[in-house]
Amino acid sequence: MSNYETKTNVPANLNELKKSINRTSSWRERLDAVEELGQWKSRETIELLKHSMAGDSVYKVQEAAYHKLQALGEKVTMPERKNGEQIKGTKKILLRIKKSLPKNHSYEEFKEKVKKMRLDLYDTYEGEKGIDFDKWLEDIWSTLPTR
């Protein structure tokens, strides 16, 4: 017998929340979905929160899912923060983007192109780096070869 409440105790917008929790281009939308799912205790909501806690690319979202699961009475372990690249091949991706721009492009042009071409990458690192995001991206941009 399950210790979860009835299966009908799910938010009316569960399908939208499932989409939101998997939206790679918006860590804020995923965080909002975690917050809302954490108000409901059912098999579906707990599974979605566990998925988010274990696999989200932004640690803030993993951490929020962990706290919501704890509040729902689940026995969970705090996920470890990943060190290194959040997205495999980040530097190669950024190098390709830089090489696709004119030789004397500005950092702002580079930043805009990253956002346009790889919103998933942009969003993940923005969520992870917080206020240090611009400095991090500009530092990488300035060290990448031009051609």
Side-chain angles (χ1 to χ4, degrees):
M1 197 72 190
S2 171
N3 64 345
Y4 300 135
E5 293 180 25
T6 63
K7 206 171 173 183
T8 58
N9 190 13
V10 296
N13 62 340
L14 183 63
N15 286 335
E16 289 80 22
L17 290 171
K18 283 180 186 178
K19 289 176 187 169
S20 292
I21 211 156
N22 289 306
R23 186 142 298 130
T24 58
S25 63
S26 179
W27 69 269
R28 288 174 181 85
E29 187 174 337
R30 296 193 310 272
L31 184 61
D32 289 346
V34 163
E35 294 296 329
E36 192 167 341
L37 287 165
Q39 297 172 27
W40 299 86
K41 186 171 182 175
S42 71
R43 183 183 55 77
E44 292 95 336
T45 58
I46 287 171
E47 289 307 312
L48 286 167
L49 288 169
K50 284 181 176 178
H51 170 76
S52 197
M53 182 187 81
D56 200 279
S57 60
V58 174
Y59 190 72
K60 288 176 195 161
V61 178
Q62 289 182 318
E63 196 174 29
Y66 163 78
H67 289 298
K68 290 297 181 183
L69 285 163
Q70 263 197 328
L72 291 172
E74 292 297 301
K75 303 272 186 261
V76 289
T77 304
M78 178 72 117
E80 286 187 35
R81 183 182 283 275
K82 290 183 214 164
N83 290 321
E85 290 186 331
Q86 302 304 117
I87 294 177
K88 188 177 167 131
T90 294
K91 285 212 175 162
K92 281 184 178 178
I93 293 165
L94 294 175
L95 177 61
R96 268 187 253 127
I97 292 171
K98 184 174 182 177
K99 286 183 172 184
S100 75
L101 289 163
K103 189 173 184 172
N104 295 323
H105 69 274
S106 68
Y107 164 67
E108 287 302 320
E109 290 170 313
F110 171 75
K111 181 179 171 183
E112 280 307 306
K113 187 141 189 191
V114 171
K115 191 173 186 177
K116 193 163 138 186
M117 291 183 68
R118 287 299 304 265
L119 185 55
D120 61 325
L121 182 142
Y122 184 97
D123 185 76
T124 295
Y125 283 103
E126 182 197 33
E128 272 304 299
K129 304 288 182 190
I131 60 170
D132 298 327
F133 172 72
D134 265 318
K135 182 183 180 338
W136 170 82
L137 187 59
E138 190 167 6
D139 287 349
I140 289 178
W141 170 76
S142 67
T143 60
L144 291 171
T146 49
R147 298 236 176 242

